[in-house]
């Protein structure tokens, strides 16, 4: 117990009773920051991939077809030409949102071999189709319900 104004022995709180304490300094660097937590999946490096999409794309479903694709908006009649590896399908301003009139680009295919790996050529009219990725269950559908669009072709 500390008593004010009364010496209680060798220094207040025993400070004078032992060797002095000093900070320990070494020539070793301090430990670095801990690693960052893993980040969520990032969009693919090219247009027309599976969700999550690039900033200038919208995750879309096409009425009458099973699957999704990331579709950039048409710039006039032109579409981005960067396609996923292994793709021979042609980007085209082929989709229109019937409610807004907005037009979107998609990969137009004649056969599944034209589409990116893991996608399918969904035949939606005549001899041509659109490359779509299979929907992956509840998480995919929830994302599309919040931010996706159903396109009528």
């Amino acid at each position: 117990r500390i008593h004010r104004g009364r010496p209680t022995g060798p220094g207040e709180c025993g400070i004078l009773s032992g060797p002095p304490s000093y900070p320990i300094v070494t020539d070793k660097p301090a430990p670095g920051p801990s690693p960052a937590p893993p980040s969520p999946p990032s969009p693919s490096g090219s247009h027309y991939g599976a969700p999550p999409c690039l900033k200038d794309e919208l995750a879309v479903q096409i009425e009458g077809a099973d699957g999704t694709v990331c579709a950039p908006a048409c710039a006039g009649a032109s579409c981005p030409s960067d396609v996923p590896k292994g793709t021979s399908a042609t980007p085209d301003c082929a989709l229109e949102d019937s409610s807004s009139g907005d037009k979107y680009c998609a990969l137009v295919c004649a056969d599944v071999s034209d589409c990116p790996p893991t996608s399918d050529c969904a035949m939606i009219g005549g001899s041509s189709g659109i490359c779509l990725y299979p929907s992956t269950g509840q998480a995919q559908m929830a994302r599309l319900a919040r931010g996706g669009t159903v396109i009528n072709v």
Side-chain angles (χ1 to χ4, degrees), residues 35-140:
S39 60
S42 61
S44 66
S46 64
H47 288 92
Y48 315 105
C53 301
L54 298 175
K55 289 181 181 181
D56 65 339
E57 293 178 310
L58 184 66
V60 299
Q61 291 179 306
I62 299 174
E63 191 172 273
D66 183 31
T68 60
V69 67
C70 293
C74 296
S78 65
C79 293
S81 60
D82 60 318
V83 298
K85 288 183 180 182
T87 303
S88 60
T90 308
D92 189 31
C93 191
L95 305 175
E96 182 175 346
D97 185 340
S98 61
S99 63
S100 68
D102 294 338
K103 295 185 178 188
Y104 296 92
C105 300
L107 294 174
V108 177
C109 55
D111 185 74
V112 69
S113 62
D114 296 335
C115 295
T118 72
S119 68
D120 192 16
C121 183
M123 303 308 280
I124 55 171
S127 60
S128 64
I130 302 292
C131 296
L132 295 177
Y133 295 86
S135 296
T136 57
Q138 295 287 5
Q140 179 78 15

